Amino acid sequence: MKNYVFNNFEKEKLGIWNMTIGSLLKHQRIAMGLTQKEFSNGIISAAHYSKIENNKHEISATDLFLLLKQNQIDLIDFYNDLYFSNDKVDIINKSILIRVVLVKSF
């Protein structure tokens, strides 16, 4: 299953500029046509995932990486959707930074 990358028009229409991790996960899940249980299957409970989507609980970096990997969502695309910037250099720097964090995390 391919993850859905929001274009700039959709980001503006949906109001998802600089959104939270939980709300972006929710938008991705809905765009993929999955239930919370299907999206979080085997990683965290659907109840806990629901609280993350509703910004009532935070998600660990490990669980986030596992959710993204399981649902074939590219980490860099997810990060760029989360912290959108028109400055391409800034996006490249953020991409490099997140790759460094990933290497150190695993």
Side-chain angles (χ1 to χ4, degrees):
M1 195 179 300
K2 180 89 170 102
N3 67 300
Y4 186 83
V5 178
F6 295 97
N7 64 39
N8 294 347
F9 174 76
E10 291 168 317
K11 288 178 186 179
E12 188 171 333
K13 182 178 174 186
L14 295 170
I16 59 173
W17 299 88
N18 293 321
M19 64 188 333
T20 65
I21 289 173
S23 55
L24 182 54
L25 284 170
K26 181 176 183 177
H27 282 291
Q28 286 283 356
R29 177 184 62 77
I30 291 169
M32 295 168 74
L34 299 174
T35 66
Q36 290 177 339
K37 185 176 182 179
E38 292 168 333
F39 193 84
S40 63
N41 188 27
I43 298 171
I44 56 177
S45 71
H48 182 66
Y49 178 76
S50 175
K51 291 175 183 172
I52 291 167
E53 276 193 359
N54 291 302
N55 301 308
K56 293 181 180 176
H57 283 177
E58 293 182 354
I59 187 169
S60 71
T62 301
D63 288 343
L64 176 61
F65 296 150
L66 290 172
L67 280 174
L68 295 177
K69 183 177 180 182
Q70 174 174 286
N71 292 287
Q72 299 176 347
I73 298 171
D74 182 78
L75 178 62
I76 303 305
D77 289 342
F78 185 84
Y79 185 82
N80 286 336
D81 282 343
L82 190 60
Y83 300 105
F84 180 79
S85 172
N86 286 321
D87 184 350
K88 289 183 182 181
V89 173
D90 190 39
I91 289 173
I92 291 168
N93 288 337
K94 288 176 185 178
S95 297
I96 292 168
L97 176 63
I98 202 159
R99 285 189 175 113
V100 169
V101 169
L102 281 176
V103 169
K104 290 182 178 184
S105 296
F106 291 97

